Amino acid sequence: MANAKVLEAKAKVVEEIKTTTNNASTIVLFDYRGLTDNESKELRRALRETDSDYKVFKNTLMKRAFNELDIHVDESLEGPSALAYGSDAIAPIKVLSDFAKNHPALVMKVGVVDGEVSDSNALAELAKIPSRDGLLTMLAGAMIAIPKDLSICLDLYAKQKEEN
């Protein structure tokens, strides 16, 4: 039988994983084998710029926490896994995807985005979505286009009336 202190420490880690998962809008499990220490620091720095981070937990403890949260990703917890999380739904996915382009050792396994389990293909599709700033810029451009087009039409109409 395991020592009571060890069991208590493991229970704390499981609670930490559950809390992290519940507080995050997105979590992504990824394989980090082959990343150097400097590359890991570079990844962590890139994630922190988007108010995200990652942490490495034991797979057995992650399985226990995810099962308690009714998140079924057991098949993805084979081999070393790290857990990236963030409050923005897309930011951690984009950072990991961009990082993986230059560092093929990083492989995204599975993610949970707003409570929905997403496989690596779905994560790749989500990574293509523009950033929040990019989407806001597109929205502003679309909103400006309507009054601009209306003012052009009114100006042309006024010029046509002046000619008559």
Side-chain angles (χ1 to χ4, degrees):
M1 177 90 185
N3 185 336
K5 288 184 179 181
V6 172
L7 291 175
E8 183 180 323
K10 288 182 179 184
K12 285 182 182 179
V13 172
V14 169
E15 277 305 311
E16 179 185 354
I17 296 168
K18 287 169 53 176
T19 302
T20 299
T21 302
N22 285 331
N23 292 340
S25 180
T26 296
I27 62 167
V28 179
L29 290 172
F30 66 95
D31 187 346
Y32 60 90
R33 280 182 292 191
L35 291 180
T36 66
D37 187 44
N38 286 336
E39 290 170 338
S40 294
K41 288 177 183 176
E42 181 183 337
L43 174 60
R44 190 176 303 274
R45 202 173 11 256
L47 283 166
R48 285 188 177 153
E49 287 175 5
T50 63
D51 195 28
S52 305
D53 203 354
Y54 83 90
K55 196 162 185 181
V56 178
F57 297 102
K58 285 188 168 192
N59 284 345
T60 55
L61 299 179
M62 283 197 284
K63 281 181 187 179
R64 183 177 298 159
F66 291 146
N67 287 335
E68 288 180 18
L69 293 171
D70 201 30
I71 298 172
H72 305 288
V73 294
D74 291 352
E75 64 279 354
S76 299
L77 288 170
E78 299 297 325
S81 298
L83 178 69
Y85 53 92
S87 56
D88 186 326
I90 303 296
I93 299 169
K94 287 186 75 61
V95 170
L96 289 172
S97 177
D98 291 343
F99 194 83
K101 289 176 186 172
N102 298 324
H103 304 86
L106 187 144
V107 177
M108 289 192 292
K109 296 179 177 182
V110 69
V112 179
V113 182
D114 290 329
E116 296 291 321
V117 177
S118 303
D119 64 358
S120 59
N121 295 330
L123 292 175
E125 288 298 315
L126 288 171
K128 294 177 184 176
I129 295 174
S131 68
R132 183 176 191 276
D133 291 339
L135 290 172
L136 289 174
T137 302
M138 288 181 207
L139 177 65
M143 291 173 65
I144 289 172
I146 295 169
K148 182 183 110 186
D149 291 347
L150 178 63
S151 67
I152 290 170
C153 289
L154 290 174
D155 184 52
L156 290 173
Y157 182 74
K159 287 179 181 175
Q160 183 184 24
K161 284 293 185 181
E162 288 176 3
E163 292 174 1
N164 292 340

